[in-house]
Amino acid sequence: MSDLMAPFHEAVADPHGWLSKYKKQAGVKICGYFCDYVPEEILKAAGYTTVRIMGGKGEVTVADKYLQSNVCSFARRCLEQGMLGVFDYLDGVVIPHTCDVINKMNDLWAYRMKTPAFVHYFWVPHKVFHESASAVMEAEIQRMIQAVESSSEVKITDDAIREAIELFNRSRSLLDRVYQFRRSPPPRINGVDAYAVALSSLIVPKEIHNQWMERLIEGLGETESSSGKDRPRILISASVLDDLELMTAVEKSGAWVVADDICTSTRYFTDMVDNSDSAPIKALARRYLNKKPCPRSVGSYQPRLDHILKLASDYKVDGVIFYILRCCDGHLYQYPVLNERLRKEGYKTLYIQGDHGIGITDGISNRIHAFTEILLP
Amino acid sequence: MRSEEDKSRMRGKKHLQTTREISKIVEQYYAERSESGKKQGQKVAWCGIAVPKQPLQAMDVLAYYPEQYGTVVATRGDPHRFLKQAEAYGLSPEMCGYARITIGYILEGLPEDAPMGGMSRPDMLLVTTAVCDTRVKWWELMGQLLNVPVYVMEFPDLPPIGRNGAQVGQAELGTSGHQVTRADMPYLGQYALSHYQGLIKFLEEVCGKPMDQAKLLQSSKSSGGVGKVRREINEYRKAIPTPMGSADAFAAMFPGQYMPGSEVANDFYNRLRAEVRERMDKKVGIVPEEKFRLLWSGIPFWYNMGLLNYFEKKGGVVVIDTQYGCSALSTGNPNRDPKKWGMNAYVGTVMKALVDYNCDGAILSYTPTCRALYINQMEIKNTLMEELGAPALLLESDMVDPSSFSEAQTMMRVDAFIELVTEKASKRNWKPSMVQSPF
């Protein structure tokens, strides 16, 4: 099993090194994007390899002059890395209007940074579930197509978009199948490994990553569910989480991470694009508007609650950890109501305030340990 | 708890006769609402600051503005009473101070002994997506706590095209930098319009009656008239010495911001215009001799408006403030306009106001709990220095939570800044922009 997991962990351990090497070997263009509302399929249809912009761990020094301490620590780390040249292998970046801070990330990236040459702003409606949103989302996708075509000098055809949808849907479906191996008590794949699979899907080109996942699924299918003692089963609800520290801390405490509501995981891959639709742009607009929502979206509370409750029931969850980055307003406003409701449903919960650059401190680990102890039968 | 002496020092002093009436206007506003709110039939709405006022006036909806009420609590009450409630509920101290006050007020059950009688229980909540995302989440949470319908009006707020930053004109000054549409995104204008129409439909449903189109037209005309007078007043503020500074202007924004189509607003601004014009003609300034002129960007610290007067004691004036619109009759100064206006129109409007109003430097209120504004402030500071060589001072504090204000540290920095800006002003190498006569 460790052999099958090795490539996923390698990509997660050094995403920039992995992509730089791949770019050199394969001679491809790479386009970065923020958040999970950018239709990557368009970029893929133009021949780009897509990569989610991630913050990584470390200090903020050069970016502090532009984005100061009381702003999302994830965004600060992204800008820091951008200014230090960590993303120099990118040929383009697409920045959506998801929240205020990511919106300003576009302003800063466009105005203050020299690279990459192609910076595209993608406007996403707040009222994603409203009937008026489809037309404007379709228009934004069309505008993105024009911008990408003009920058890459590649004509994006409907057939190429359909092919990309097929590839990305396959990835979504495989990711879901990997996650399903955690339903059994005890799970056939632990939370750290499962999350490494999800995270690496944001880095590694889908055609390669899908092959890795197919091999892994075959391996997992042959594995017997271990008969060892089961542990408390935990669901993690978080904003953005781009490494394995939290999952590791939870599993070290003696619990399993069996499910999550995270934008670099299930909120990213759960919903499929309807590729039977004769108009692929319409289908993409529908999927990205109706996917498991980020709390920034209007009307996102109920779908988020439904998503969490369904996962909690399907994966027999005992407790929920909310890991919310300081200053992440969308999550902070929804947390009290969501927490109250989950407690009413009988789930124990733990709130952890995170700092993206610092990660999991000893203090946080101790609180996770105490929480796991509470969940023990 | 602050002493009575501290409170008195922190209270702002107004220089104009007309602006001294504002307290009464605000009191009257809340008294009328408190009375009407108890009447059967009239619908009550709690509104975000950018919600169009005219449809509400035309439908005879009683509007409250929780952000404005946050300032009332901060200036006339004990903000901690409600802030504590919100924190106990699970809202972090790093979240918007206005939001925490309102949520705390709701959690306390809309108590009658709240400052100025509080806000009447709403039948609906209205908000736009302009300025910040926070407000949308805040309104949704209020909707859940109060169990009333929420209408969110989409109001796109776009960055400039390309990578050269903002192009700023008169329109951006009037809207404090919001750009609803763009040449390459014309559909967003139509989209915003459809949401305005959605607001009308929502109001009709909640109020159970059709929109009174004649009243809507009338209200729009009156609001437009008030807007013109406010721009004329701003034009006079360019004069050296300035006849009105921000210590008066922050108070004077209330009728224009919250009751623009009303007779009260109309009458107030006409009288204010006359007073400002007379002071300008007679060269009556805020201080005997202006040693430096400043701009204020961002939300003021409502519990410490006396800070604005402090600059006057040192021989300078905060001439203009950009938070609630700073458009005058004319804009631009070919002797001083920079090559670039900054990363977006929020930065650009401050830059332009600094030039238009002949200022030497800027005070940037740095309210960490207001993410949307806070993010721009550092860029404003950087761009003012890079493009105009103008110094700026970042003052960090929450807009309604006095415990976040460190007086000793702040005043030390203010004094150092005053020295710097006074020196800078004594060596001005630019010609001031002139006041344009409306006649």
Side-chain angles (χ1 to χ4, degrees), chain A residues 245-362:
Chain A
E245 274 195 3
L246 179 61
M247 305 298 171
T248 306
V250 173
E251 299 208 323
K252 266 191 178 170
S253 78
W256 297 119
V257 177
V258 293
D260 67 61
D261 157 52
I262 307 177
C263 71
T264 35
S265 181
T266 61
R267 290 210 301 271
Y268 168 71
F269 70 72
T270 299
D271 304 282
M272 307 289 267
V273 181
D274 179 4
N275 213 8
S276 65
D277 196 312
S278 58
I281 291 166
K282 267 187 193 303
L284 282 173
R286 217 167 33 237
R287 188 270 170 187
Y288 280 92
L289 289 172
N290 292 293
K291 67 174 211 64
K292 300 291 169 283
C294 168
R296 58 72 75 180
S297 292
V298 172
S300 54
Y301 166 73
Q302 194 60 46
R304 274 194 75 210
L305 176 68
D306 293 345
H307 178 53
I308 293 172
L309 286 177
K310 180 162 188 341
L311 287 172
S313 159
D314 289 352
Y315 288 78
K316 299 178 184 62
V317 162
D318 302 301
V320 175
I321 294 178
F322 287 96
Y323 181 79
I324 302 179
L325 294 180
R326 202 171 72 82
C327 301
C328 179
D329 287 323
H331 277 272
L332 288 169
Y333 277 96
Q334 232 163 44
Y335 159 71
V337 193
L338 214 47
N339 181 49
E340 197 173 71
R341 181 63 199 274
L342 287 172
R343 282 177 174 245
K344 264 189 196 159
E345 295 288 332
Y347 296 103
K348 297 220 164 36
T349 63
L350 172 68
Y351 170 76
I352 298 172
Q353 185 181 69
D355 181 290
H356 199 86
I358 295 170
I360 306 303
T361 59
D362 287 348

Side-chain angles (χ1 to χ4, degrees), chain A residues 68 107 126-127 140 295 299, chain B residues 137 140 152 154 187 344 366:
Chain A
Q68 51 283 35
D107 299 5
H126 291 80
K127 292 170 82 169
E140 269 300 88
Chain B
K137 304 320 295 177
E140 283 192 304
V152 180
E154 284 272 28
Y187 40 86
N344 61 27
Y366 205 43

Side-chain angles (χ1 to χ4, degrees), chain A residues 37-39 42 120 122-123 134-148 156 161 280-289, chain B residues 187:
Chain A
Y37 279 89
V38 172
I42 299 300
H120 182 75
F122 184 74
W123 192 81
S134 302
V136 79
M137 190 72 164
E138 284 169 35
E140 269 300 88
I141 295 176
Q142 289 285 10
R143 191 175 68 86
M144 180 172 157
I145 289 174
Q146 284 167 12
V148 172
I156 298 174
I161 299 174
I281 291 166
K282 267 187 193 303
L284 282 173
R286 217 167 33 237
R287 188 270 170 187
Y288 280 92
L289 289 172
Chain B
Y187 40 86

Side-chain angles (χ1 to χ4, degrees), chain B residues 356-378:
Chain B
D356 283 352
Y357 292 90
N358 303 314
C359 294
D360 304 292
I363 304 294
L364 311 177
S365 100
Y366 205 43
T367 42
T369 60
C370 177
R371 229 75 63 205
L373 295 179
Y374 181 84
I375 300 168
N376 291 307
Q377 297 295 60
M378 193 67 109

